[in-house]
Each structure stands twice: as C-alpha cells, then as structure tokens.
C-alpha cells in the first residue's frame, strides 16, 4: 500500500488540476536525466490559520538551484510564492508538506537542455515525523555511509537538484538495510557534510558546529533558523569542519531539516552519543513553537497561506 496521502489539487504550470490528473509523459526529460530542481517546505497550523514556514526563502532557493543548473523558470519568485499559498489553501488541511518542482518537460530527448521547456508543479500532502515518531525522544541511529557526498565539480550539492538525490537514496537505503535509521555522508576530503536529507549540528567543548556549504552541505533553511535560535539562546555557533571522530566523541549531535525538523542522534556507527542532549531539546522545543507562530520574534518566518 502506498503511504502517500492524496490532497485535492496539484498546481501545474499556472493552474490547479485534480491530483489524479497531475501527470507527465514518460519521455519527460527530467525523468531520464535528473535535470530538475525542487524544494521541500512545511505549512503548520497557527492561530491565524495555515502558515508556510519561510516560504520566501524556500522559493528563492528554488530559483538559486535553477540558476546553478542554468535553468530558466518561466515564472517569477512572487508567482511561485502565490501559487504555493493557493495550493496549500486548496488542501483544506491545517498543515502539510509542500513539494515545488521545476523540471525539463516533454519534447526533447538527449543531454542538451538548452532547447527544453521548463515546467513547474507544486504538490502538497500530509507528512508526519520523517525520522520516526520517537526521533526526538529515543534519537536516531546513524551510520557513516560508504557513499561520499557529491563533489562541487561533479554535481553541485548547493543546488537542490533531482539528480543529487540519487546519492542521498543510495546512502539512505544502505543505512536502512544495515539496521540504522539514517546516514551521514563524508565529502571527498573525508570531512562530514550532512545527512541524506538533513543538516548536522555537533556539540563539542560546549560550542556548536555545523558544516558549511563548502563541506558539501545544502544551505539548509532549518539550519539557518536553528543557528538564529541557538544564538538567541546564548550559544556560539560556528560553521566549520567536522571530522568523523568528532561525531564519536561529541557531547551531543542533532540533525535538522524541513521534513525531519529537529531530531536527536543517539549513536554514530554504534558509538553512543548522549541523547537527547540538553541543547537539542531546547532547540527542538523552540523550533516547534516558532514554526507554529507561537514565538513573536520569529513570527515573520510564518507566511499565512491566505
Ligand atoms: N540537506 C539535504 C541533503 C536535504 O535534502 C535537506 C532537506 C536539508 C539538508 C535541509 O534543508 P532544509 O529543508 O532547507 O532545512 N531535505 C528535504 C527532502 C526530504 C525528502 O525526503 O524528500 C526536506 O527536508 O524537505
């Protein structure tokens, strides 16, 4: 049984169509060559109605990802923001996960993307705890992947491109088959980059470190929000390099992402890490309130769907 729960409408190239009619041809370019860019966003229930967390930043990143690929999205940032709100409102749900995708469509085959048309779609569905319901209480079991994170000159990890997720999927499935919950990928220099769908935070010597874009990590919007939250709580945060052994002897580790939110890590390669750590707990609690518009200073992060 598929676990994907349909919602009434999907936005495709300017209009809302019924979920079952949101189809593409099997010769859609991106299906063959991985030439697309996408976003993952969440809308949460707030006192004023459904609000999309940091919608503008996500859509701006979608356009940056496209720019890195040399893809021209035939809509403006504002049009895609408005379309996202319209799609969220059409679900009738108080909160949901949102997936905008820009892809090369039907009409051309072959690796040259220059003549290809660009299509855009936005879909929403309910998506619960990404790393399991007890990710924050029991913590997540991590494995260092045998797969390396993409190198900047192979496929840019800074762009959220469809192709990059073949790398993430290899690492994810390897970890699951070995009995772990999630994988951490090292880059070609052997330094920690990120997880298959989350950024990492490591606490050592009382300071908090998270790998930067240059280490092969996506510039996470949750990562940026968590840095602000940590600094507001009085912690010093550095974007810096992390070695594999830093993970084994960390005071605490947690991973963050739109889907995963804030999840504590209980072990890496079977080396136990204190979990859930006090900083992770504080961050998870604050983030959970921030996304629901319950903290006045972060309320501007919540963009109402209507
Ligand atoms: N790194 C990667 C590789 C990544 O995919 C994500 C998001 C992040 C970091 C965190 O980025 P941000 O969401 O801006 O904080 N992963 C998305 C995809 C999940 C999926 O399985 O699909 C997400 O969390 O929506």
């Amino acid at each position: 049984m598929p676990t994907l729960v349909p919602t009434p409408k999907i936005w495709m190239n300017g209009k809302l169509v019924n979920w079952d009619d949101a189809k593409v041809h099997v010769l859609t370019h991106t299906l063959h060559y991985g030439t697309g860019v996408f976003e993952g966003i969440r809308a949460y229930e707030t006192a004023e109605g459904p609000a999309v967390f940091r919608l503008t930043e996500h859509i701006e990143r979608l356009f940056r990802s496209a720019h890195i690929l040399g893809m021209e999205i035939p809509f403006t940032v504002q049009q895609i923001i408005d379309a996202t709100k319209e799609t969220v409102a059409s679900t009738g749900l108080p909160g949901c996960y949102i997936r905008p995708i820009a892809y090369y469509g039907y009409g051309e085959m072959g690796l040259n993307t220059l003549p290809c048309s660009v299509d855009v779609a936005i879909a929403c569905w309910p998506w619960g705890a990404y790393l399991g319901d007890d990710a924050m209480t029991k913590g997540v079991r991590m494995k260092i992947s045998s797969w390396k994170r993409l190198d900047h000159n192979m496929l840019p990890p800074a762009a959220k491109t469809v192709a990059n997720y073949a790398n993430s999927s290899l690492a994810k499935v390897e970890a699951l088959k070995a009995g772990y919950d999630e994988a951490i990928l090292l880059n070609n220099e052997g330094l920690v980059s990120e997880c298959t769908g989350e950024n990492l935070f490591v606490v050592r010597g009382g300071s908090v470190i998270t790998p930067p874009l240059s280490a092969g990590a996506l510039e996470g919007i949750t990562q940026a929000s968590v840095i602000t939250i940590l600094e507001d709580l009085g912690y010093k945060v550095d974007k810096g390099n992390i070695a594999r052994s830093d993970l084994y002897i960390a005071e605490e580790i947690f991973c963050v992402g739109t889907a995963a939110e804030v999840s504590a890590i209980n072990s890496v390669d079977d080396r136990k890490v204190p979990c859930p750590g006090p900083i992770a707990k504080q961050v998870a609690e604050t983030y959970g309130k921030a996304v629901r518009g319950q903290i006045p200073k972060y309320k501007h992060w919540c963009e109402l769907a209507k």
Side-chain angles (χ1 to χ4, degrees):
M1 264 295 282
T3 57
L4 189 57
V5 178
T7 55
K9 301 281 181 192
I10 291 179
W11 188 95
M12 286 183 95
N13 290 329
K15 51 179 194 290
L16 289 174
V17 300
N18 289 335
W19 176 279
D20 285 339
D21 299 329
K23 292 185 175 149
V24 294
H25 197 278
V26 289
L27 294 182
T28 296
H29 197 274
T30 296
L31 186 60
H32 295 252
Y33 305 117
T35 49
V37 295
F38 70 100
E39 270 304 318
I41 317 175
R42 274 191 193 270
Y44 291 89
E45 183 168 15
T46 73
E48 283 93 38
V52 186
F53 189 66
R54 306 199 77 169
L55 172 60
T56 302
E57 283 95 332
H58 277 283
I59 302 304
E60 285 172 351
R61 188 174 65 187
L62 180 75
F63 278 72
R64 283 202 301 279
S65 296
H67 182 72
I68 292 172
L69 280 201
M71 169 191 261
E72 291 252 359
I73 296 180
F75 295 95
T76 63
V77 169
Q78 192 57 51
Q79 282 173 318
I80 300 300
I81 289 173
D82 293 343
T84 304
K85 290 181 180 175
E86 192 188 349
T87 316
V88 170
S90 77
T91 66
L93 296 170
C96 59
Y97 186 79
I98 308 160
R99 169 58 49 83
I101 181 166
Y103 54 99
Y104 290 116
Y106 170 83
E108 302 288 339
M109 290 303 274
L111 296 175
N112 178 12
T113 57
L114 297 174
C116 294
S117 59
V118 177
D119 292 325
V120 183
I122 306 165
C124 299
W125 65 87
W127 216 5
Y130 186 68
L131 293 173
D133 287 328
D134 46 13
M136 200 48 225
T137 45
K138 276 173 53 195
V140 176
R141 278 187 81 207
M142 286 283 183
K143 179 192 193 303
I144 303 284
S145 186
S146 73
W147 298 97
K148 295 283 172 284
R149 193 64 181 141
L150 298 159
D151 183 81
H152 294 282
N153 294 307
M154 288 159 56
L155 275 172
K160 205 169 163 67
T161 67
V162 176
N164 289 3
Y165 285 81
N167 175 249
S168 282
S169 284
L170 285 169
K172 181 78 185 185
V173 173
E174 178 188 67
L176 291 176
K177 283 194 162 174
Y180 297 84
D181 301 314
E182 173 57 324
I184 295 171
L185 291 113
L186 306 180
N187 61 26
N188 257 339
E189 283 141 59
L191 297 167
V192 173
S193 63
E194 59 178 344
C195 310
T196 68
E198 307 88 29
N199 290 107
L200 266 179
F201 282 84
V202 177
V203 182
R204 285 221 54 216
S207 55
V208 189
I209 313 158
T210 184
L213 184 158
S214 56
L218 183 73
E219 272 188 315
I221 289 162
T222 319
Q223 181 190 43
S225 309
V226 164
I227 290 173
T228 303
I229 289 170
L230 281 165
E231 288 175 345
D232 288 349
L233 288 169
Y235 296 102
K236 188 176 165 308
V237 186
D238 288 317
K239 277 207 170 174
N241 285 331
I242 297 170
R244 182 174 189 157
S245 50
D246 283 316
L247 301 174
Y248 295 165
I249 56 178
E251 282 129 48
E252 54 179 297
I253 315 177
F254 50 96
C255 62
V256 311
T258 297
E261 302 177 304
V262 179
S263 302
I265 292 168
N266 64 32
S267 61
V268 179
D269 294 340
D270 303 311
R271 274 79 163 178
K272 287 217 174 321
V273 176
C275 173
I279 301 181
K281 271 204 263 190
Q282 249 180 315
V283 170
E285 198 192 311
T286 311
Y287 183 77
K289 287 185 180 158
V291 295
R292 291 171 180 81
Q294 292 163 3
I295 302 182
K297 70 177 160 191
Y298 304 133
K299 227 174 155 180
H300 62 283
W301 286 343
C302 306
E303 300 179 41
L304 289 176
K306 29 179 179 193

